[in-house]
Amino acid sequence: MLFHVRMDVKIPHDLPSAEAAEIIAREKTYSHELQRSRKWRHIWRIAGEYANYSIFDVTDNTELHEILSGLPLFKFMDIEVTPLLRHPSAIREDDT
């Protein structure tokens, strides 16, 4: 199943910078693992915001929830999830 996910990151200003840097480093490692596994198919930065749009390709809602709740920055995020279906007018076969 494909999901479009918007993630807005809101790290508290009073979080010590060393702690924030450590969390961000773990986040990067975790996201790279998911991208290599093809679970996290696409990620785009939203210009001017600490946010991204991503496409996840997972088995079901439960797997997506486990992945998202495992993000080291999860407790600092507002997340919006939209399930995606192939459009009947789509001509590409490699985007499912």
Side-chain angles (χ1 to χ4, degrees), residues 8-12 15 19-20 23 72-78:
D8 292 272
V9 182
K10 298 177 181 176
I11 297 175
L15 187 69
E19 185 177 345
I23 294 168
L73 286 170
F74 179 75
K75 65 183 178 182
F76 305 121
M77 291 181 173
D78 290 329

Side-chain angles (χ1 to χ4, degrees), residues 21-39:
E22 187 271 330
I23 294 168
I24 291 167
R26 286 190 293 120
E27 180 87 8
K28 185 175 184 175
T29 299
Y30 183 62
S31 74
H32 284 181
E33 290 170 7
L34 290 165
Q35 289 174 68
R36 285 186 195 98
S37 75
R38 308 257 319 138
K39 298 283 182 186

Side-chain angles (χ1 to χ4, degrees), residues 12 15 25 27 36 38-39 46 48 58 60 65 71 81-82 87:
L15 187 69
E27 180 87 8
R36 285 186 195 98
R38 308 257 319 138
K39 298 283 182 186
I46 300 172
V58 295
D60 55 25
H65 178 76
L71 290 165
V81 175
T82 305
H87 195 283

